[in-house]
Structures are given as C-alpha cells and as structure tokens.
Amino acid sequence: MTISKPNEKKSFAKLGKQNISLFSKSKKSSPSQEEKQASEAMAGQATQRAIEANENDALLAAALFDSKLISKLDLEKALAKKSHQNIRLTETLLKEGFVSEEVLFDFLCKYRKLPAVDLINVQPESDVAALLPESMARLFRAVAFRVDGGSTSVAVTDELLGTEVEALLGAVGGVVQFHLAPPSQVQRLLDKQHRATDSVSELVKSFESIEIMRRGAIDDTNDVAASEDAPVVQVVARILTQAVRDRASDVHIEPKKNEVRVRFRIDGVLTTVLELPVAMGPSLVSRIKVMAQMNIVERRRPQDGQFGVEVDGHSVDVRVATIATIWGEHCTMRILEKSRSVMTLADLGMPQDTYEKFIRVVRSPSGMVLCTGPTGSGKTTTLYAVLSEVVDGTRNIMTIEDPVEYVLPSINQIQTNDQAGLSFATGLRSILRQDPDVILVGEIRDVETARIAVQSALTGHAVLSSVHATDAVSALHRFLDMGIESFLISSSITGIVGQRLLRMMCSHCKVAYKPTAEELELYKATGLAIKETFYIGEGCNFCSGTGFHGRVGVFEFLQVTSEIKRLVAAFAPQDQLQEMAEKEGMRTLRQEAYRLVERDLTTISEVIRSTYTL
C-alpha cells in the first residue's frame, strides 16, 4: 500500500511533529500556549485512535473467527484483555499465545492486502532510521527500512489506523509504502536502529564537562547519584533499558585501570556493550546503590540490594551485588522480569523417557530430589517447575531461598536474611516446626544445611534443593565429602537431575557448514548416526549477528535405585557409580547435548563450550 502526502506544512503535519517532541519527556518550568494546544490535540488524537482501534479490531476478530483460526472463547478472552490493557488485538493474541506469530502473519497478509517483507537480513542506512522518530516508531510498531528516490518503505506489524497514518506521514513526508512484517522482526530491527546506549557518548561529554570527578571531590558522587537530571543517572537508565531489550540476564559494570567496562550476559555469554571513562565508575555504582537503597558511603565491603524499574511497559526486578576490586567497585545487576511465568515440567523440554521417570519421583510424598549444575544452568527454574507439579491446595509447601526469584501466591516463601540470623540452615530448622509437606531449599551450601535436609527427607517430607556439582553422580560424592553418612544419603535421596543450558541456533539464519575433523570425531564418539548435513547460524538481525537466539535445557536424570543405594552405602568410587547409572539407562549430559545437534537445535561448538569437561 502506497500513500503520499505533499511536503508543504499542513496543520496536521505540524501537529504530528509537536506530538513527537512531547514524547521526549523534556522538562520545562511551564508549558507554552503552543504546547498546551499540542497536548490537547494529542489527547484528542488518542481518543480518536482508540475509537478507530475498536472498530478495526472488531472487524479483524470477526474475520479470524470466520477463518477458524481461533475459538470463540479464546477470541472473547483476547478482546477482554485487549480492552483492559489498551493495546491492539494482534498484540493480545500473540502475548496470550492464542495464535502463533507465523499463522497470524500469514492471515494478516491476506486480510490486510499488504505486501510482506522479510527484515531478517535488512541492513538500513543510519539516515533511513532517522526518518521515523523512535518514540513514534515504538508507539506505532513501525520501522523505516528503505528509501528509493522520494519513496520511503515502512514495515508495520498490522495496518495502521487513519490517525496513525496521518501522524507518520507528517513526520516522514513524501511517499510512503507500507509493508507487513512479523512483530518479532519489526521489534528486533527497531532495537537495532534505536539502541538506548547510542547517546551515551554525549552524556559522557556532559559528565566530563561539569568536572564532578576532580581530585579531592570524589564524595560529590553522592549528590550526582541523587540528581535525576545528572548525566550518570541517564546513563544507568539507558544501560538498563538496553539490557532488557537485548534479553540480558545480567549486567556487569567492571572498573579497569583505564576504563569502566559494561558487559551484558546474553544467552549465557558475556558481551561488551560500552567502555566508559574510568572517572565515571564510582558515580555509576553510587547511582545504582541509591536505587537499590544500599549504603553509598561504604565502598570496601560487599553489599546486596534490589529495586524495580519499568522498561517498555515491562516491570523488571533488578538484584544488585557490589564488591571491591583493585580498580574500584565491581557491580553486577541480575535482571528478572516480573511478568515471566513459572514453567511446568512438560515445558522444560526433557526427553519423554527422562520426563516420565522424573515425574514419578517428584510425585513421591517423601524423599529428596536434587538439581545440580553450575551457576546459571537453570536449576531454580527446574525446582519451581517441580513445585508447579505438586501444588494442589492440600499440601503446605514452604521455601527458603536467596533470593526469592519467582513469587507464587499459593506457597509460603521465605527470604534468607544474614543480618537477622536467618540462613538456609536456621530457616530450614524453623520450617520443620510449621507442619510442612513439601520443602524447597534454594541451595545446599554447607554440612549443617545438608544434614537437616537429609533428616527432613527421612522423616516423611518431600525436599527439593540444588547443589553445585558437575553432574548428577558427582552430587552424591559431594554429600559424602560434606561428611554425611553414606547410609543416610542412600536412604534419603531419590533422584538427581544434572543440567546445562545451551544456546539455540537461530532458526532464521542457519546455513549448512562442514564441521572440523575434531568436531566430527567428538560427534561420532557419542554413537549417533552420522548426519549428512550440519548447520550453523551465520548471524542476522533477529539474533543480533550471533547465530544464536534463546537457550534450551539439557538434562540427565539419575534415579537412585537399589543398586545405586548399595554402591553409595559401600562408598563406591564415582566412576563405578557412573557406570552403574548408565547401565540402568541414564544418558549423560554430553549424550543429550549431541542429540540436540542431531535435531539441528544447536551446534557442535556450543556443546563443546558447555559440556566439554563431562
């Protein structure tokens, strides 16, 4: 669909530009008369957009129902949620999972009669992105991706409303050709064109120009951290915004000798996103401490805190931890989306036979089930998936965690507090006096916690916990190393899950490639049939050029059978336990990981990176 509009300054075009300026949230002491008029006009436009959206969505709902793509009940739910959340129907359908993006996109192409465009490998010039202001682009979910002569090509996720078209034409001018693209592709290209960290260099110059970090004035960072207009405040906000948009799980602010490095952990891998002046480090950390209600004067001792922010309509919890290094305070922020839901056991992606064995064990009314793996391997997610399986309203389920990452209204959750003397061990001892049926211990770190957990499992409680060990079998020897008697271990532990998270190959840019001789040798060693074609992600807009997008779990499950119990009680060496476990049908993490390669979900190099020690 092509729409053109003369470039002369018509009243609506001028109004559209005024509206754009209002989105920037610039602060002024008192708005001018022109701004008041623009604000009133914008409110009127918002009302008109709402009316148009309701009419548009009503027609779309009828067409979806006629096409039998969605049930009447789901459609009614979607319309109710859409009205409550004040968003378009298509957004609600995807957000609630009533229809897949692929199915909805194919339907909209025919229904809207708009040409489709694939944005996966589109690389627009910077001046193309500048044609459409970021605030308007995100509001309308539209992205300019090509200019051909006097015509600008714009990709949208759904047909724009009349008021939206007018505002967009007022901003871009000339001829505009509209194309339809999947929402995920539009969002990824938008995030690539408009990175929150792009303007950080200007803020750094402002920071340096006011010379707040002069020698002898280092304590002034407290004032800087408290001022909402300070450049350092805006830098922290932009870092957090970009981290959420990049799906980062952690943000690291690392002081070095000549710089402050900012890195994001995305899909388990750290990537450098910013390098800031070394003088900015203390102010950045002070600002974060203020947000997390931590002591900004204390810079020598490790501290922990947390705060909440909202980014692009998403409520996010941020857990903060600081520690002194030789170059200054290192700050790590863990990002947790409040809206994320607890996964079920079926959602974890375990192989069917492993899932069936595991679910029989976790449904037992007593005994201990452990999750093992390094930090960031998804142990907490698995434990909460187990809880979702046993919650039925007839049991008293209690947890002791550090920190509480998922909040579930149907269970009783306790946060450890070292200052109050509430550790895993003391909390677990207190929980036992609360008539519990199921107990979740966030992590077994010491012999005292381990001993109480074992005794709890032996006295008829179902105990869930995690322990740091390389695999399922080594977790048994971890308890032996703690000094727990072997007969108690064999009697209390019923099952152990070892797990890892591997990066998934990007489905949008995977191409065939020839593995190295070493990779082929490792693949052959698993006993799997040799594949004719192996794939690897070559990088695209969707995966930010990494070739990977998202992660998938790899699991091994050790069921503590009578033979395993006999070996544990006899202090059998680890290799003998491993041999017996495999003889009884346990597949190792490495074997499971290469099965994902066989299914073209990940690469051999990723398996080597994640499981090479096993």
Side-chain angles (χ1 to χ4, degrees), residues 119 121-138 141-147 152-155 172 185-199 242 245-246 541-542 544:
L119 300 177
N121 293 307
V122 169
Q123 302 292 339
E125 299 294 333
S126 58
D127 56 344
V128 175
L131 290 174
L132 193 58
E134 180 182 3
S135 54
M136 179 178 282
R138 293 192 182 279
R141 297 203 301 168
V143 57
F145 64 93
R146 184 174 59 235
V147 173
T152 303
S153 294
V154 175
V172 176
Q185 292 188 20
V186 171
Q187 189 63 51
R188 295 300 292 174
L189 189 56
L190 264 177
D191 290 342
K192 183 176 181 179
Q193 286 184 346
H194 304 285
R195 292 186 63 82
T197 52
D198 285 344
S199 59
Q242 194 58 53
R245 290 176 181 173
D246 285 349
N541 288 335
F542 193 81
S544 300

Side-chain angles (χ1 to χ4, degrees), residues 7 55 100 108 241 453 601 613:
N7 286 328
E55 295 175 351
S100 70
L108 287 176
T241 297
L601 293 178
T613 59

Side-chain angles (χ1 to χ4, degrees), residues 75-125:
L75 197 55
E76 289 174 351
K77 290 179 181 177
L79 288 169
K81 287 181 177 291
K82 168 253 178 193
S83 178
H84 177 70
Q85 298 171 350
N86 195 27
I87 58 177
R88 296 287 292 271
L89 177 61
T90 50
E91 293 180 64
T92 306
L93 292 172
L94 294 176
K95 185 178 180 180
E96 300 298 327
F98 291 134
V99 65
S100 70
E101 182 181 78
E102 182 179 359
V103 169
L104 182 60
F105 176 66
D106 290 342
F107 170 79
L108 287 176
C109 287
K110 299 172 184 176
Y111 176 69
R112 300 300 191 195
K113 297 180 181 178
L114 287 172
V117 61
D118 186 357
L119 300 177
I120 288 297
N121 293 307
V122 169
Q123 302 292 339
E125 299 294 333

Side-chain angles (χ1 to χ4, degrees), residues 456-613:
S456 302
L458 290 174
T459 53
H461 301 92
V463 180
L464 310 172
S465 190
S466 68
V467 61
H468 284 287
T470 55
D471 55 25
V473 170
S474 62
L476 292 170
H477 270 263
R478 180 92 170 86
F479 272 67
L480 288 170
D481 293 341
M482 287 182 180
I484 307 299
E485 291 80 358
S486 60
F487 66 90
L488 293 178
I489 298 172
S490 61
S491 301
S492 60
I493 299 177
T494 55
I496 306 174
V497 173
Q499 63 186 81
R500 295 288 190 279
L501 289 176
L502 271 64
R503 291 184 296 170
M504 293 180 66
M505 194 190 319
C506 179
S507 60
H508 296 275
C509 63
K510 69 177 185 180
V511 295
Y513 88 110
K514 184 178 181 180
T516 64
E518 179 188 5
E519 289 177 337
L520 279 176
E521 191 65 30
L522 289 169
Y523 184 83
K524 290 177 183 178
T526 62
L528 295 173
I530 297 301
K531 288 163 52 71
E532 292 184 2
T533 308
F534 289 85
Y535 292 90
I536 193 170
E538 63 177 355
C540 64
N541 288 335
F542 193 81
C543 62
S544 300
T546 64
F548 296 94
H549 188 272
R551 290 192 286 178
V552 60
V554 180
F555 305 91
E556 65 177 12
F557 178 58
L558 171 64
Q559 186 170 356
V560 183
T561 61
S562 57
E563 283 299 315
I564 296 294
K565 289 180 180 180
R566 181 181 60 81
L567 291 175
V568 171
F571 291 93
Q574 188 167 327
D575 57 349
Q576 193 173 343
L577 283 167
Q578 184 74 33
E579 183 180 351
M580 178 57 69
E582 292 184 37
K583 183 180 178 180
E584 293 187 338
M586 185 189 81
R587 292 190 298 273
T588 65
L589 284 169
R590 175 171 286 184
Q591 290 171 334
E592 290 295 335
Y594 278 108
R595 285 175 176 268
L596 297 180
V597 176
E598 185 181 40
R599 294 163 53 194
D600 297 326
L601 293 178
T602 190
T603 64
I604 298 176
S605 60
E606 177 64 11
V607 172
I608 295 172
R609 184 189 73 85
S610 302
T611 66
Y612 72 97
T613 59

Side-chain angles (χ1 to χ4, degrees), residues 45-67:
Q45 283 186 341
T47 302
Q48 181 62 29
R49 277 201 302 270
I51 294 172
E52 289 183 38
N54 287 333
E55 295 175 351
N56 189 292
D57 287 343
L59 295 173
L60 175 61
L64 283 166
F65 181 72
D66 290 341
S67 300

Side-chain angles (χ1 to χ4, degrees), residues 92-265:
T92 306
L93 292 172
L94 294 176
K95 185 178 180 180
E96 300 298 327
F98 291 134
V99 65
S100 70
E101 182 181 78
E102 182 179 359
V103 169
L104 182 60
F105 176 66
D106 290 342
F107 170 79
L108 287 176
C109 287
K110 299 172 184 176
Y111 176 69
R112 300 300 191 195
K113 297 180 181 178
L114 287 172
V117 61
D118 186 357
L119 300 177
I120 288 297
N121 293 307
V122 169
Q123 302 292 339
E125 299 294 333
S126 58
D127 56 344
V128 175
L131 290 174
L132 193 58
E134 180 182 3
S135 54
M136 179 178 282
R138 293 192 182 279
L139 180 65
F140 296 163
R141 297 203 301 168
V143 57
F145 64 93
R146 184 174 59 235
V147 173
D148 186 7
S151 175
T152 303
S153 294
V154 175
V156 294
T157 62
D158 193 5
E159 186 175 55
L160 294 184
L161 305 174
T163 52
E164 294 173 340
V165 171
E166 288 290 336
L168 189 144
L169 289 174
V172 176
V175 178
V176 176
Q177 293 184 334
F178 289 99
H179 301 259
L180 205 61
S184 60
Q185 292 188 20
V186 171
Q187 189 63 51
R188 295 300 292 174
L189 189 56
L190 264 177
D191 290 342
K192 183 176 181 179
Q193 286 184 346
H194 304 285
R195 292 186 63 82
T197 52
D198 285 344
S199 59
V200 165
S201 58
E202 298 175 5
L203 295 172
V204 170
K205 291 178 182 177
S206 299
F207 174 85
E208 293 173 332
S209 67
I210 56 179
E211 297 181 343
I212 60 170
M213 291 299 299
R214 291 176 300 178
R215 182 177 298 180
I218 194 166
D219 289 338
D220 290 347
T221 56
N222 298 353
D223 296 332
V224 173
S227 173
E228 293 296 329
D229 293 326
V232 70
V233 172
Q234 298 179 50
V235 170
V236 170
R238 281 164 171 73
I239 288 173
L240 287 171
T241 297
Q242 194 58 53
V244 172
R245 290 176 181 173
D246 285 349
R247 302 178 297 106
S249 61
D250 300 89
V251 177
H252 292 253
I253 297 178
E254 307 169 329
K256 302 299 177 185
K257 183 179 180 180
N258 300 314
E259 64 190 22
V260 173
R261 184 171 61 181
V262 179
R263 296 197 290 174
F264 292 168
R265 187 177 293 280

Side-chain angles (χ1 to χ4, degrees), residues 360-369 395 437-438 456-463 491-495:
R360 282 198 299 268
V361 170
V362 301
R363 286 176 177 171
S364 174
S366 62
M368 184 188 300
V369 176
R395 297 181 179 184
D437 295 297
V438 181
S456 302
L458 290 174
T459 53
H461 301 92
V463 180
S491 301
S492 60
I493 299 177
T494 55

